Amino acid sequence: MINKDFIVLFDGRDHFRYSNADASYTRIQGFGFKDGFFSPKLIERFIEEEKPSKENSTLYRLYRINPLCFWRWSYYLFTSVDFEYKSWKEIEPNRVPYDPENRWQDF
């Protein structure tokens, strides 16, 4: 998809980040050739296996929607609208320790 190429060109590869309320689940949207758009279903397996509390079962996008960035519009319309925005500054104080070996945490 051409839109992915624009996002990589203008935003880099790790601009779109997602996290739950305690950062026990974090993801960075990849924009490689085989990477699909981010889906709410990606957190369902985490919920099934880890059984987090209700407040930690919601996934948030950590980036703001900027309508002036025309190259992101299709990503915003098809992906971003599924996630509520929450600032990383709100999540970070409650963060569980980062473990690079944990498959549920990208950052």
Side-chain angles (χ1 to χ4, degrees):
M1 175 178 263
I2 293 174
N3 184 48
K4 284 180 157 185
D5 294 334
F6 279 110
I7 290 173
V8 170
L9 178 67
F10 290 107
D11 294 326
R13 295 201 171 270
D14 65 347
H15 181 78
F16 297 98
R17 294 175 178 239
Y18 299 87
S19 177
N20 63 347
D22 71 354
S24 57
Y25 181 91
T26 59
R27 281 290 169 258
I28 299 172
Q29 167 65 61
F31 290 103
F33 176 71
K34 294 183 179 181
D35 293 326
F37 283 127
F38 197 82
S39 166
K41 293 183 178 193
L42 296 174
I43 195 172
E44 289 176 9
R45 188 167 175 202
F46 167 76
I47 292 169
E48 288 173 14
E49 289 183 17
E50 301 295 320
K51 298 180 182 26
S53 62
K54 179 135 175 79
E55 62 269 7
N56 292 319
S57 296
T58 302
L59 193 62
Y60 300 97
R61 62 182 160 81
L62 304 178
Y63 58 91
R64 293 188 183 274
I65 291 176
N66 182 349
L68 299 177
C69 298
F70 65 89
W71 60 92
R72 298 183 195 154
W73 287 353
S74 68
Y75 188 82
Y76 289 158
L77 292 172
F78 295 108
T79 302
S80 299
V81 295
D82 292 332
F83 304 97
E84 183 181 331
Y85 170 78
K86 192 167 195 175
S87 169
W88 179 247
K89 291 178 183 178
E90 293 177 59
I91 294 173
E92 195 170 25
N94 304 319
R95 182 182 191 156
V96 299
Y98 172 66
D99 177 7
E101 300 297 317
N102 181 348
R103 68 182 178 148
W104 303 113
Q105 292 178 310
D106 279 349
F107 61 91

